[in-house]
Amino acid sequence: MDRALELNLIEELLGLREAKTHFLDQAIEFNSVDHYQSEIIFNEERESIFTRLPAVAAHVCEIPNPSDFVKREVAGRSIIVTRDAEGKARAFLNVCRHRGTQLVSEESGCKHRFTCPYHAWTYANSGELVSAPHLESGFPGLDKAQYSLKALQCDERFGFIWVVANPEVTIDFEQYFAPIADEAEALDLADMAIAREEKKVHKSNWKILVEGGLESYHFKVAHRKTIGPYFEDNLSSYQMLGDHMRSVLMRSSMHTLKELPTSQWRLRDHANIIYTFFPTTQLLVQQDHVVWINSRPVSATETELRLVTLAPTSRLEDDTYWEKNHRITSNTLNEDFVIGESIQAGLATGANEQMTFGRFEGALPEFNRVVKRYTSA
Ligand code: FES
Ligand SMILES: [Fe+2]
């Protein structure tokens, strides 16, 4: 992060604390509860957002070498993410071009060829159909070049392998990530590895789960038994970075910086920084590691979350330390996820027609504006 920006972010929050106020937007805002329940809106989001924008399929440490692969689901599609002989990351729909069988059933492995379990059509890990039993007699004139695996746009960036789930769509990754790229790069995520992880389907709309990470209004209440005491009450700021967002949640320790020269001010030590990479990836930047939250929207009312503690590779062996850290993160975030399920159940009663966002919850309507820009909602 640019040093002047880092100091500005700290000064802004210190100023708000001193003035005993909050980071306030212009006005109270609303969002119809349909956006969290309607399968019609969800399907639109799937078509216009999840299949068309980059989603993280894997961290680079999950396929470090040529021929390593993982099977993933993105926007309801099973995909294979692998590295070809040159080490280039590639992604394909996990579908045999003969009659559609899923090629790979294992979650991960190392193979330079994928052979279909039905009639053994075999593909190179760069996608080409290399052989098929009795090809000449059974399929005279078939142009093998037309039968490569369906490739998805795939890009290695900030330590992650990003894919676009619709093979007909290509986007300009450079441009899409430009407003957040420098800060994402500075996190050195490629030099980190998975220390701990967990995965669970929550009965909650994906946006409710994202929204839970965008405000600190709830910290002193919902997190009173975990991290609440370490944070200022309802003091956080946010900035849009294109479709993405940076949120800065002020720790109670930040005010002690006033006794130190600004040369010693380090935002990361006195705030939680959350980067929301639109639409489904959030990074929670902690003092010495990063928590990666990957969301996989399943339906209007269900979302699978993968919660990963990424630790610097050089410190990965400190098992007890990462176990302890991951437990704290998991316990805290699960407080949010349980509330997310409670909100979803609450909306289903019909008690509320809209979500009501206070002026210090301005990041939530901003996030929803990005969603609506991609859909006709
Ligand atoms: S469906 Fe894959 S080889 Fe026939
Ligand atoms: Fe929370």
Side-chain angles (χ1 to χ4, degrees):
M1 180 184 295
D2 178 79
R3 182 67 181 146
L5 171 67
E6 182 173 16
L7 294 179
N8 281 343
L9 291 171
I10 294 173
E11 265 160 8
E12 181 175 45
L13 287 168
L14 289 174
L16 291 170
R17 180 179 182 272
E18 204 156 303
K20 297 195 179 357
T21 183
H22 312 279
F23 187 86
L24 296 173
D25 275 287
Q26 283 304 311
I28 181 169
E29 295 203 59
F30 308 93
N31 197 24
S32 156
V33 298
D34 292 350
H35 292 286
Y36 305 92
Q37 304 189 94
S38 155
E39 289 297 342
I40 295 170
I41 293 179
F42 179 80
N43 287 335
E44 239 179 82
E45 290 172 348
R46 175 174 275 180
E47 287 319 305
S48 309
I49 298 176
F50 309 135
T51 64
R52 304 184 78 90
L53 293 177
V56 174
H59 183 265
V60 290
C61 76
E62 297 181 87
I63 50 164
N65 302 309
S67 300
D68 288 345
F69 74 90
V70 289
K71 174 166 73 84
R72 289 288 142 87
E73 199 177 310
V74 178
R77 295 163 192 204
S78 181
I79 67 170
I80 304 169
V81 185
T82 186
R83 277 190 200 283
D84 65 18
E86 277 75 52
K88 181 177 160 29
R90 290 177 179 267
F92 305 102
L93 290 176
N94 181 20
V95 175
C96 177
R97 301 300 312 285
H98 174 216
R99 278 168 49 203
T101 308
Q102 297 215 338
L103 273 185
V104 163
S105 53
E106 312 93 292
E107 290 305 310
S108 63
C110 184
K111 280 181 183 173
H112 71 291
R113 296 231 192 291
F114 298 107
T115 298
C116 178
Y118 202 3
H119 315 94
W121 281 31
T122 296
Y123 304 85
N125 62 7
S126 43
E128 297 84 25
L129 175 63
V130 288
S131 66
H134 314 295
L135 184 70
E136 281 74 29
S137 57
F139 305 90
L142 181 137
D143 179 7
K144 271 170 48 184
Q146 299 299 313
Y147 282 82
S148 296
L149 294 176
K150 274 279 179 206
L152 306 178
Q153 195 186 3
C154 176
D155 195 41
E156 208 168 312
R157 212 168 266 258
F158 324 129
F160 291 117
I161 295 160
W162 302 81
V163 300
V164 176
N166 182 339
E168 312 301 326
V169 173
T170 49
I171 80 151
D172 183 340
F173 278 96
E174 196 70 28
Q175 192 186 354
Y176 187 67
F177 288 119
I180 203 169
D182 286 352
E183 286 177 56
E185 214 54 83
L187 295 173
D188 290 330
L189 297 164
D191 295 325
M192 298 184 132
I194 297 173
R196 285 287 183 284
E197 70 169 302
E198 60 193 72
K199 203 166 20 175
K200 192 179 166 197
V201 175
H202 299 273
K203 291 195 179 92
S204 180
N205 182 274
W206 70 283
K207 298 189 292 292
I208 291 175
L209 298 173
V210 173
E211 288 170 8
L214 301 181
E215 49 91 356
S216 60
Y217 185 31
H218 70 281
F219 267 44
K220 287 285 186 200
V221 188
H223 298 310
R224 66 190 174 282
K225 293 190 184 136
T226 49
I227 56 165
Y230 304 102
F231 283 81
E232 292 287 349
D233 182 21
N234 199 10
L235 258 187
S236 54
S237 63
Y238 74 91
Q239 300 79 33
M240 294 307 294
L241 305 168
D243 287 353
H244 320 289
M245 192 185 294
R246 177 203 307 114
S247 315
V248 186
L249 302 106
M250 183 180 189
R251 287 178 181 268
S252 328
S253 62
M254 194 187 282
H255 75 275
T256 60
L257 288 179
K258 282 194 292 195
E259 272 105 66
L260 297 173
T262 53
S263 59
Q264 290 179 34
W265 290 15
R266 188 176 181 252
L267 180 62
R268 211 169 153 165
D269 292 343
H270 301 284
N272 275 6
I273 308 166
I274 299 178
Y275 291 107
T276 303
F277 293 73
F278 190 80
T280 48
T281 300
Q282 286 184 299
L283 297 179
L284 166 55
V285 181
Q286 304 275 24
Q287 273 170 291
D288 60 359
H289 67 283
V290 172
V291 176
W292 162 35
I293 306 165
N294 218 54
S295 124
R296 191 172 68 76
V298 177
S299 71
T301 57
E302 286 169 302
T303 308
E304 184 190 76
L305 289 183
R306 185 179 181 204
L307 178 61
V308 181
T309 295
L310 288 173
T313 317
S314 57
R315 294 186 49 210
L316 203 58
E317 71 289 349
D318 197 347
D319 208 52
T320 324
Y321 180 79
W322 297 120
E323 171 63 20
K324 185 171 148 239
N325 263 283
H326 187 78
R327 272 307 113 224
I328 293 168
T329 308
S330 170
N331 290 343
T332 305
L333 289 175
N334 272 300
E335 290 173 339
D336 292 303
F337 305 153
V338 166
I339 289 201
E341 295 198 344
S342 162
I343 293 172
Q344 196 71 49
L347 297 184
T349 67
N352 297 353
E353 283 164 12
Q354 58 198 9
M355 292 285 199
T356 303
F357 302 125
R359 292 175 62 198
F360 34 65
E361 296 174 292
L364 286 70
E366 279 297 341
F367 166 69
N368 282 287
R369 267 191 276 284
V370 180
V371 174
K372 288 171 196 174
R373 230 183 33 245
Y374 284 97
T375 57
S376 58

